[in-house]
Amino acid sequence: TLDHQPTVTVEGYGDLNLPMTRAQVRKLLDAGEPAPFGQGERTLVDTAVRHTWHFPGARVDVDWHGHLDRVLEDARSALTLPTHVRLTAEFHSLLVYEVGQFFAPHQDSEKDDAMVATLVVVLPCPFQGGELVVHGDDGPLTFAGSRDRTTMVVFYADAQHEVLPVRTGHRVSLTYNLLLQGATSPRDVAHDDVADATTLLTRYFETAIPGRYGQPATVPTRLAYLLDHSYTPRALAQGIGRLKGVDAER
């Protein structure tokens, strides 16, 4: 959470007065549009999947009054990224959820080759429901907003997540794409490590594996290593410097 509030200015409305009242949000919605969502290479509008109001980045200006660098450093730490990398924020949109509106479970599309995570900033406004649920290997994590403080959640873009239906009031949030500057895995490897890896890999590909069901023994033709996170082909093409979290550590 943040003690201070960013200044949010919306084209056709003006500055949002935080915490927002229901009357202010209803007036803001006069300038909103149904929110789309990405499905592969397509952008769709389907209220059975995503039912919320959308204000694209070109119509919104956010002034963090010098505090955004601290927010991004906290995000880097929360994502357990190494200290030598840096995150930059690309504003995506302002979203307003009314009673009954929601976003079904999904993964965020990586809209830039450098995109690694999503930052959700929930602005202070009276509402119930509308929790952000992020699903992980250890089970779901649930995050609620606040009536009087700005709250933030950061997660890797490949994490499955959803916004539960709003029960009362309005959920007002900002979304950012977080871009990675620097490599998560070191590119400089000690000479001894390279020699050890060469020996082990050579041994692996030269050692025959007994065949099944009476088939002759054959040497392996490939080696697979499973990753915990999801990656686009573009991200993997950039090498190990784009690996996330535990993948980079391993």
Side-chain angles (χ1 to χ4, degrees):
T1 62
L2 285 177
D3 294 327
H4 55 272
Q5 314 290 2
T7 298
V8 183
T9 306
V10 181
E11 181 183 274
Y13 177 87
D15 292 350
L16 304 186
N17 293 320
L18 302 178
M20 296 193 71
T21 65
R22 295 186 181 183
Q24 290 171 339
V25 178
R26 284 194 291 267
K27 182 179 178 182
L28 173 64
L29 288 179
D30 292 338
E33 57 191 68
F37 66 96
Q39 186 180 75
E41 298 297 323
R42 300 185 298 166
T43 300
L44 308 173
V45 174
D46 183 349
T47 56
V49 176
R50 188 183 196 188
H51 192 17
T52 183
W53 297 100
H54 172 253
F55 299 80
R59 297 182 53 196
V60 182
D61 179 75
V62 184
D63 185 352
W64 284 89
H65 306 291
H67 295 287
L68 183 57
D69 284 346
R70 196 193 95 190
V71 170
L72 294 176
E73 174 57 22
D74 288 345
R76 182 207 60 74
S77 177
L79 293 169
T80 66
L81 290 168
T83 56
H84 63 266
V85 304
R86 181 170 172 263
L87 291 173
T88 59
E90 178 183 79
F91 181 67
H92 186 259
S93 60
L94 166 68
L95 300 172
V96 181
Y97 291 79
E98 293 188 278
V99 172
Q101 292 188 322
F102 63 94
F103 198 169
H106 65 285
Q107 289 176 298
D108 287 343
S109 55
E110 296 185 359
K111 307 166 188 69
D112 186 285
D113 285 351
M115 181 177 171
V116 69
T118 297
L119 173 67
V120 176
V121 180
V122 183
L123 300 177
C125 189
F127 71 96
Q128 292 182 323
E131 295 89 352
L132 172 63
V133 182
V134 181
H135 299 276
D137 292 338
D138 297 327
L141 295 174
T142 302
F143 303 92
S146 169
R147 298 176 62 95
D148 51 16
R149 302 182 74 181
T150 297
T151 61
M152 297 171 296
V153 182
V154 64
F155 48 87
Y156 280 114
D158 65 291
Q160 190 87 354
H161 60 284
E162 61 184 304
V163 177
L164 300 182
V166 172
R167 297 194 302 273
T168 65
H170 299 86
R171 179 185 187 270
V172 184
S173 63
L174 311 171
T175 60
Y176 286 85
N177 305 327
L178 297 188
L179 311 182
L180 180 67
Q181 310 296 322
T184 57
S185 299
R187 297 186 181 274
D188 295 328
V189 183
H191 181 271
D192 289 346
D193 292 333
V194 174
D196 290 344
T198 302
T199 300
L200 292 171
L201 289 170
T202 300
R203 182 185 305 161
Y204 172 79
F205 284 108
E206 290 180 347
T207 303
I209 300 174
R212 300 178 66 186
Y213 309 114
Q215 296 296 316
T218 57
V219 295
T221 59
R222 64 190 60 170
L223 174 66
Y225 181 85
L226 300 181
L227 301 172
D228 281 12
H229 289 275
S230 300
Y231 299 88
T232 64
R234 291 184 310 175
L236 286 178
Q238 298 176 58
I240 63 171
R242 291 283 282 114
L243 295 180
K244 304 169 184 173
V246 67
D247 292 343
E249 293 173 12
R250 289 172 181 162

